[in-house]
């Protein structure tokens, strides 16, 4: 081993070159919350929020009018005037509207969950699927479906939530010793950790011949959303409101342990509330539509680059942008090979990875 | 046991030990001769693989299993050696080509070929022509990926791995996207290429792969001493008279070809190479490539053959080997990271 251990790091050849300063500068920009000055203070938040609200409204209209079944807005208009149901309005109420609402709620939930976990772990490069939350939720869901197939949806969701909390606890134990300066190590470990949980889940599913059931949860997809099959997602809306209420406390946790102590915030309590909320949001999304990777990573990163990390100010923008992003990707997935449909998780897998790679690779250029 | 220990006392410098310390002595014998021990274990597992649970009709079972055995050994060689060389080239014991997305790149190329050619002309391509085309594409693409990964972020190991991992996710998502864009018949063709399968091995590919293995082994064996020098670091290697550009280019070619071969035969496996290289570095007496290249091939072959025997014949769950390998490899990866953190 002796020969190799000399070369475990690549930078051994130039130990004291420009690297340290470059890295710390990059870190100051990205992962340090104290004294964080947003770079574009000129645009007021209300303007950004109004603009993204308009974008979202346009996307909603587009999302409502795209689909395989024949549909016309004038039909809706007629049924509204006559107070009578026709095929257009029932299509709207049973399929199109539930689907669009589900997409909006999922986007909001995943983006806000990503923002919370990034603040709690003080790391810009994590999201619920990179701390083992979504994978653990799927594992818990699989186990409860195997042992108690007839149990109510709310019980399945509860078990998935508990599993997600356990998965995140295990992850936090794993990264306990990682120095906070090594901020890219945490997502790396998270990806491998998620892969290990995935492998265990696949193992169980293979043995019990439930791989097909599992693949429904592993690929986020809105094609099966109809009225009566998505309402659980409203719960994530409630969680987002709670997140907004405790936003200031979460922000203070993100500022660092000493500051939290000085300001009289119990770091432990708020951290656990944050972890629990992320677990619940991930579990609800996995139970109803399946995993959608990278939203929780991309959206908070973009928003905090523009607006900074004060959650009370940035959470509405995160929620709006998250909803718009998923709406856009779902519209792309539905129209790229019309009349067939591509799962939103696949579309986001491509779009999200490209943006994430850009975030990762463009970092050195800043310094 | 007695005759065995008598034959080995000649080349170990250990004084006569009392019978109470027999385990440690046995261990030292094993530690002194990892290659021979590994060969013996491999032979035993190969015999087990060929013979366990054969009920009559040997002339049917033996050729069938023999082909599969050969395929497993080819894959073991390709993954083990390519990972070891990649670690030498990058001076890093926690990297593997698969971790940086090289074999999902192969699957993506496969999907792209189906997408542009259509399944019918894809499957009716001459196998040798198709495979050489894939390898050329694979080599070009992995050269680009290598350039991108190692020019932009080579100072920062963590970022390099993270970027590589995300590239792997991107390639897989793109393959999945293409799989959805093509019609269902073509989809089946792509689907069969994108999962690790140790059960069904294409017999026609086996001949080509065997040929590739032999040719690559000749090259690698000629480079073994240069590789030893390369492990000292790029600057030292150049100082000591190694033509770095040429050697790195050659190594990268061999790695790309071997990754393509292994992926073509069984599909992508992320952590297997890492697993066997970690085991090899543990077992090897020194870090010379003449020792470790042989050992890593043997270890990888043992893992696959023995694992397949146990899973297929004893436990009766043939499809799970790749999942278990991923699980074990993932755990090894985490362990390696934490060990290097503590350092």
């Amino acid at each position: 081993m002796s020969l190799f251990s000399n070369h475990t790091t690549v930078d051994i050849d130039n130990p004291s070159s420009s690297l340290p300063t470059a890295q710390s500068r990059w870190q100051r920009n990205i992962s340090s919350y104290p004294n964080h000055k947003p770079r574009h203070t000129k645009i007021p938040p209300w303007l950004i929020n109004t603009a993204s609200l308009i974008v979202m409204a346009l996307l909603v209209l587009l999302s409502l009018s795209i689909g395989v079944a024949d549909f016309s807005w004038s039909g809706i208009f007629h049924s509204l005037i006559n107070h009578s149901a026709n095929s257009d309005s029932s299509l709207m109420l049973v399929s199109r509207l539930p689907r669009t609402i589900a997409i909006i709620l999922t986007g909001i939930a995943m983006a806000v969950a990503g923002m919370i976990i990034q603040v709690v772990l003080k790391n810009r490069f994590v999201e619920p699927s990179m701390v083992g939350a979504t994978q653990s939720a799927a594992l818990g869901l699989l186990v409860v479906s195997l042992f108690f197939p007839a149990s109510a949806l709310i019980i399945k969701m509860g078990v998935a939530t508990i599993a997600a909390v356990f998965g995140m606890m295990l992850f936090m134990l794993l990264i306990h010793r990682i120095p906070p300066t090594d901020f890219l190590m945490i997502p790396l470990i998270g990806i491998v950790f998620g892969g290990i949980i995935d492998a265990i889940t696949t193992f169980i599913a293979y043995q019990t011949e439930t791989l097909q059931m599992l693949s429904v949860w592993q690929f986020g997809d809105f094609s099966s959303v109809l009225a009566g099959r998505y309402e659980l997602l409203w719960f994530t809306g409630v969680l987002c409101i709670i997140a907004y209420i405790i936003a200031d406390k979460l922000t203070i946790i993100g500022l660092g342990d000493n500051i939290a102590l000085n300001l009289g915030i119990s770091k432990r309590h708020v951290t656990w509330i944050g972890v629990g909320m992320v677990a619940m949001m991930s579990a609800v999304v996995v139970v109803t539509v399946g995993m959608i990777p990278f939203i929780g990573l991309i959206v908070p990163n973009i928003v905090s680059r523009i607006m900074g990390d004060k959650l009370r100010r940035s959470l509405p923008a995160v929620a709006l942008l998250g909803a718009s992003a998923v709406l856009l990707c779902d519209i792309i997935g539905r129209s790229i090979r019309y009349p067939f449909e591509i799962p939103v998780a696949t579309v986001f897998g491509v779009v999200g990875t490209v943006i994430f790679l850009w975030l990762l690779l463009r970092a050195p250029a800043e310094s | 046991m007695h005759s065995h220990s008598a034959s080995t006392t000649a080349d170990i410098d250990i004084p006569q030990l009392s019978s109470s310390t027999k385990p440690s002595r046995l261990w030292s014998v094993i530690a002194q001769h990892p290659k021979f021990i590994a060969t013996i274990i491999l032979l035993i597992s190969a015999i087990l693989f060929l013979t366990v649970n054969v009920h009559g009709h040997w002339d049917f079972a033996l050729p069938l299993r023999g082909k599969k055995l050969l395929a497993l050994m080819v894959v073991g060689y390709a993954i083990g050696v390519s990972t070891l060389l990649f670690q030498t080239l990058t001076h890093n014991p926690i990297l593997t080509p698969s971790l940086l997305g090289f074999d999902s790149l192969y699957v993506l190329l496969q999907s792209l070929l189906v997408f542009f050619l259509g399944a019918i002309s894809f499957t009716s391509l001459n196998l040798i022509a198709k495979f050489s085309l894939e390898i050329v594409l694979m080599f070009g693409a992995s050269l680009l990926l290598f350039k991108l990964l190692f020019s932009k972020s080579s100072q920062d190991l963590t970022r390099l791995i993270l970027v590589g991992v995300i590239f792997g996710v991107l390639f897989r998502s793109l393959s999945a996207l293409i799989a959805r864009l093509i019609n269902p018949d073509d989809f089946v063709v792509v689907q069969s290429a994108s999962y690790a399968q140790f059960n069904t091995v294409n017999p026609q590919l086996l001949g080509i792969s065997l040929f590739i293995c032999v040719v690559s082994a000749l090259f690698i064996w000629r480079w073994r001493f240069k590789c030893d020098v390369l492990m000292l670091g790029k600057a030292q290697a150049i100082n000591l008279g190694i033509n770095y550009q040429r050697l790195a280019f050659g190594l990268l070619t061999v790695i790309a070809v071997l990754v393509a071969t292994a992926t073509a035969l069984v599909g992508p496996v992320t952590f297997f190479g890492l697993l066997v290289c970690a085991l090899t570095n543990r077992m090897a007496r020194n870090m010379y490539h003449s020792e470790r290249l042989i050992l890593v091939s043997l270890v990888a072959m043992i893992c696959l053959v023995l694992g397949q025997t146990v899973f297929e014949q004893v436990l009766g769950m043939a499809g799970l080997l790749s999942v278990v390998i991923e699980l074990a490899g993932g755990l090894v990866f985490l362990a390696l990271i934490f060990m290097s953190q503590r350092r």
Side-chain angles (χ1 to χ4, degrees):
Chain A
M1 268 328 256
S2 65
L3 244 170
F4 236 9
S5 59
N6 282 335
H7 298 284
T8 39
T9 51
V10 178
D11 58 68
I12 199 85
D13 295 332
N14 48 348
S16 61
S17 64
S18 63
L19 178 66
T21 56
Q23 200 172 13
S24 59
R25 225 178 273 164
W26 146 244
Q27 241 171 299
R28 213 181 306 140
N29 264 332
I30 290 308
S31 69
S32 65
Y33 288 81
N35 307 324
H36 186 103
K37 289 194 186 102
R39 279 178 294 152
H40 307 286
T41 40
K42 284 168 204 158
I43 316 169
W46 66 265
L47 192 63
I48 295 175
N49 287 344
T50 317
S52 48
L53 201 60
I54 292 168
V55 170
M56 197 181 100
L58 289 175
L59 286 170
V60 166
L61 285 181
L62 203 57
S63 171
L64 287 175
S65 28
I66 289 179
V68 179
D70 282 330
F71 170 76
S72 73
W73 285 101
S74 60
I76 296 281
F77 197 62
H78 283 300
S79 92
L80 275 180
I81 292 172
N82 304 331
H83 293 287
S84 65
N86 59 15
S87 66
D88 285 327
S89 66
S90 64
L91 177 72
M92 174 63 79
L93 288 178
V94 173
S95 169
R96 296 283 169 79
L97 202 58
R99 180 178 185 140
T100 306
I101 294 171
I103 294 169
I104 293 172
L105 286 173
T106 306
I108 291 175
M110 292 312 285
V112 169
M115 191 71 176
I116 294 174
I117 197 72
Q118 285 180 13
V119 167
V120 167
L121 289 183
K122 302 183 194 67
N123 192 307
R124 273 266 149 258
F125 289 101
V126 292
E127 64 141 10
S129 74
M130 286 189 187
V131 295
T134 46
Q135 291 91 344
S136 309
L139 178 60
L141 191 55
L142 178 70
V143 170
V144 73
S145 308
L146 285 175
F147 285 109
F148 308 100
S151 58
L153 200 56
I154 192 81
I155 292 176
K156 287 184 178 172
M157 203 191 83
V159 173
T161 306
I162 293 166
V165 170
F166 266 108
M168 286 164 80
M169 269 167 66
L170 197 59
F171 178 76
M172 281 158 87
L173 276 178
L174 266 180
I175 60 163
H176 188 62
R177 282 163 178 267
I178 302 287
T181 47
D182 211 346
F183 61 104
L184 288 176
M185 192 58 96
I186 288 164
L188 184 60
I189 291 172
I191 290 171
V192 178
F193 179 68
I196 289 173
I197 296 176
D198 252 353
I200 295 171
T201 315
T202 313
F203 188 96
I204 297 173
Y206 190 96
Q207 283 297 77
T208 52
E209 295 180 354
T210 44
L211 271 179
Q212 208 166 12
M213 196 158 80
L214 184 67
S215 70
V216 174
W217 303 321
Q218 282 181 334
F219 276 98
D221 182 11
F222 293 100
S223 59
S224 62
V225 171
L226 292 172
R229 294 185 59 177
Y230 78 99
E231 280 75 3
L232 221 53
L233 282 171
W234 284 108
F235 184 55
T236 63
V238 177
L239 288 171
C240 289
I241 294 169
I242 297 173
Y244 188 72
I245 294 169
I246 63 164
D248 285 339
K249 289 187 175 164
L250 285 168
T251 310
I252 291 168
I253 289 296
L255 291 173
D257 301 356
N258 289 334
I259 295 176
L261 197 66
N262 277 339
L263 292 175
I265 301 283
S266 164
K267 189 202 167 216
R268 183 183 285 255
H269 286 160
V270 181
T271 303
W272 280 112
I273 291 170
V275 166
M277 282 170 59
V278 172
M280 272 189 263
M281 287 177 182
S282 318
V284 174
V285 171
V286 167
V287 169
T288 43
V289 294
M291 298 180 192
I292 308 175
F294 289 106
I295 310 168
L297 191 76
I298 305 299
V299 172
N301 264 295
I302 292 171
V303 170
S304 72
R305 262 160 204 260
I306 301 170
M307 302 177 111
D309 286 313
K310 196 179 166 202
L311 282 185
R312 180 69 39 96
R313 188 168 58 187
S314 61
L315 268 185
V318 167
L320 284 174
L321 192 61
S324 301
V326 183
L327 272 171
L328 184 65
C329 282
D330 187 66
I331 289 168
I332 293 173
R334 271 191 281 174
S335 48
I336 196 170
R337 186 160 156 70
Y338 187 84
F340 301 106
E341 217 179 86
I342 294 166
V344 70
T346 309
V347 179
F348 225 103
V350 176
V351 179
T353 42
V354 171
I355 299 176
F356 186 42
L357 280 173
W358 175 72
L359 286 174
L360 272 176
L361 286 174
R362 98 189 194 118
E366 255 178 38
S367 50
Chain B
M1 189 61 225
H2 191 78
S3 63
H4 186 196
S5 56
S7 69
T8 49
T9 39
D11 44 75
I12 15 174
D13 268 353
I14 301 172
Q16 201 65 41
L17 294 163
S18 66
S19 59
S20 64
T21 54
K22 214 165 192 175
S24 75
R25 179 174 179 192
L26 182 65
W27 177 244
S28 75
V29 172
I30 293 173
Q32 289 294 314
H33 298 277
K35 267 189 286 189
F36 295 110
I37 303 295
T39 315
I40 290 167
I41 298 175
L42 179 61
L43 278 177
I44 294 170
S45 24
I47 291 167
L48 280 177
F49 182 80
L50 289 174
T51 56
V52 170
N53 279 350
V54 176
H55 308 293
H57 296 295
W58 286 90
D59 47 345
F60 170 73
L62 276 187
L64 189 75
R65 290 193 179 189
K67 237 179 251 169
K68 232 161 113 174
L69 178 68
L70 206 60
L72 288 175
M73 288 168 74
V74 164
V75 170
Y77 162 83
I79 295 178
V81 167
S82 63
T83 307
L84 193 73
L85 292 178
F86 195 70
Q87 294 186 349
T88 301
L89 187 62
T90 54
H91 307 297
N92 200 299
I94 61 172
L95 285 187
T96 147
S98 324
L99 195 60
L100 299 187
F102 277 48
D103 55 4
S104 28
L105 183 66
Y106 178 85
V107 176
L108 175 61
L109 285 179
Q110 199 91 359
S111 322
L112 283 172
L113 282 176
V114 176
F115 183 67
F116 285 118
L117 300 177
I120 296 162
S121 48
F122 178 75
T123 41
S124 63
L125 271 176
N126 178 6
L127 206 65
I128 295 178
K130 173 173 160 262
F131 200 60
S132 4
L133 176 68
E134 280 165 5
I135 282 177
V136 169
L137 285 177
M138 177 73 191
F139 173 63
S142 53
L143 206 63
L144 279 179
L145 188 60
F146 194 81
K147 271 258 155 62
L148 178 69
L149 285 176
F150 285 86
S151 61
K152 270 241 168 184
S153 48
S154 58
Q155 313 101 320
D156 186 348
L157 175 65
T158 320
R159 182 175 305 161
L160 167 77
I161 302 180
L162 195 58
V163 169
V165 169
I166 298 296
F167 261 116
V169 177
L170 173 65
F171 295 149
R172 272 197 293 280
S173 309
L174 275 174
S175 309
L177 188 65
I178 291 169
R180 301 274 175 170
L181 290 177
I182 55 187
N183 63 46
D185 297 343
D186 301 1
F187 178 72
V188 177
V189 177
V190 176
Q191 194 75 2
S192 67
S194 46
Y195 284 103
Q197 284 281 339
F198 291 105
N199 296 317
T200 50
V201 166
N202 187 339
Q204 289 168 290
L205 273 180
L206 195 56
I208 307 172
S209 311
L210 210 58
F211 173 74
I212 288 173
C213 284
V214 172
V215 174
S216 70
L218 291 178
F219 275 101
I220 297 166
W221 195 246
R222 268 185 56 206
W223 291 335
R224 65 190 187 280
F225 300 123
K226 287 185 180 172
C227 287
D228 291 339
V229 180
L230 192 59
M231 275 219 326
L232 297 172
K234 182 182 172 182
Q236 281 88 335
I238 293 171
N239 269 343
L240 290 168
I242 298 284
N243 186 342
Y244 181 80
Q245 292 295 331
R246 239 176 80 183
L247 184 62
F249 190 76
L251 283 178
L252 202 58
T253 317
V254 169
I255 291 165
V257 170
L258 288 181
V259 168
T261 310
T263 318
L265 275 177
V266 297
V269 274
T270 313
F271 287 116
F272 182 61
L274 201 72
L275 184 71
V276 292
C277 280
L279 279 175
T280 302
N281 289 339
R282 255 299 127 88
M283 287 163 61
R285 285 170 304 171
N286 53 50
M287 297 306 280
Y288 294 124
H289 281 76
S290 52
E291 162 113 359
R292 285 192 308 146
L293 280 171
I294 295 175
L295 200 55
V296 81
S297 321
L298 290 173
V299 168
M301 288 174 190
I302 290 172
C303 283
L304 287 183
V305 174
L306 204 59
Q308 187 75 11
T309 314
V310 169
F311 270 79
E312 200 174 343
Q313 307 298 343
V314 183
L315 300 176
M317 20 188 216
L320 282 175
L321 182 61
S322 61
V323 177
V324 171
I325 284 176
E326 288 303 274
L327 192 66
L331 291 173
V332 166
F333 180 69
L334 285 186
L336 285 173
I337 284 182
F338 286 111
M339 261 150 56
S340 68
Q341 284 287 319
R342 199 164 299 159
R343 189 170 56 89

